[in-house]
Amino acid sequence: MIKLTIYSILQESYILLATIYGGILIGFMYDIYRIFRGLFRPKKMATMIQDLIFWCIISIVAFYVLIFSNQGAIRFYNFLGFILGSIFYQGLLSKLVIRSLVFLLKITKKFIYDLYQVLKYPFDVVLCLITGPCSYCKAKAKPVYYKARRVGRLPASIIKDTKKTLATYFKKK
């Protein structure tokens, strides 16, 4: 036996408002997705996968709203509610929400960068304490190194010059 459910006008208006709220939620999720795509600029394949995930999430939200509001019964005004909610959100709230979320993301990014700089500072100090003496020693040892290298090559250059001189001497005769 099929159970028919008759809704009152109060229930119908509740269902319409619930689907309008669902449309607003879907619009908000779309803005989050737009911000995400704007920040990371994914390639074509990643975009296709993200689109699929986005539509799956949107479908789950729409089905949840329908099941929560009217036990999953689909009527024309359900679609009208989702469309009105999305139009309302995009027309009135979208720009404000996007600006606010981008502002919050910039502040969060700056905070994380500043925190990274604070945590990195002790390591920079230790590195400076290590490299400072090393660079000082290197600067002092550099002239000694080049003099030692020149002196070390001296016997080889003497032998080379001697051979060259002897070769030119015996060649002339």
Side-chain angles (χ1 to χ4, degrees):
M1 178 178 219
I2 299 174
K3 182 180 177 184
L4 293 176
T5 318
I6 299 175
Y7 294 112
S8 69
I9 296 206
L10 185 61
Q11 290 171 326
E12 299 286 339
S13 60
Y14 170 76
I15 294 168
L16 180 65
L17 285 176
T19 55
I20 288 173
Y21 293 145
I24 291 172
L25 181 62
I26 288 171
F28 176 73
M29 293 173 75
Y30 178 68
D31 279 347
I32 290 174
Y33 179 62
R34 281 179 30 193
I35 291 170
F36 177 78
R37 288 205 33 204
L39 288 177
F40 295 107
R41 303 208 188 277
K43 302 286 184 203
K44 187 174 183 176
M45 188 64 174
T47 301
M48 290 180 355
I49 293 170
Q50 289 171 359
D51 286 344
L52 178 69
I53 293 170
F54 172 74
W55 283 107
C56 288
I57 292 171
I58 293 302
S59 299
I60 291 169
V61 168
F63 286 130
Y64 179 76
V65 168
L66 287 174
I67 288 172
F68 179 73
S69 64
N70 65 350
Q71 292 80 36
I74 298 176
R75 295 197 168 72
F76 172 73
Y77 62 87
N78 295 127
F79 295 110
L80 182 67
F82 282 123
I83 291 170
L84 285 175
S86 294
I87 290 172
F88 173 76
Y89 178 80
Q90 290 297 323
L92 297 178
L93 300 174
S94 180
K95 289 181 182 178
L96 177 68
V97 169
I98 288 176
R99 277 192 233 131
S100 301
L101 288 176
V102 168
F103 177 73
L104 286 173
L105 286 173
K106 285 181 181 179
I107 287 176
T108 304
K109 179 182 173 184
K110 185 174 177 354
F111 173 75
I112 290 172
Y113 178 75
D114 290 345
L115 183 65
Y116 169 73
Q117 291 298 324
V118 167
L119 293 175
K120 188 181 94 164
Y121 182 74
F123 297 106
D124 288 343
V125 169
V126 169
L127 185 66
C128 184
L129 290 174
I130 292 171
T131 58
C134 289
S135 62
Y136 175 77
C137 292
K138 184 178 176 184
K140 292 295 181 183
K142 197 174 195 179
V144 174
Y145 168 75
Y146 285 119
K147 284 181 184 179
R149 196 169 100 184
R150 194 172 60 207
V151 169
R153 290 183 183 170
L154 192 59
S157 66
I158 291 173
I159 292 172
K160 181 179 166 188
D161 288 343
T162 306
K163 284 183 182 178
K164 193 176 185 183
T165 305
L166 288 175
T168 56
Y169 178 74
F170 286 116
K171 213 179 204 186
K172 288 183 181 180
K173 288 185 179 186

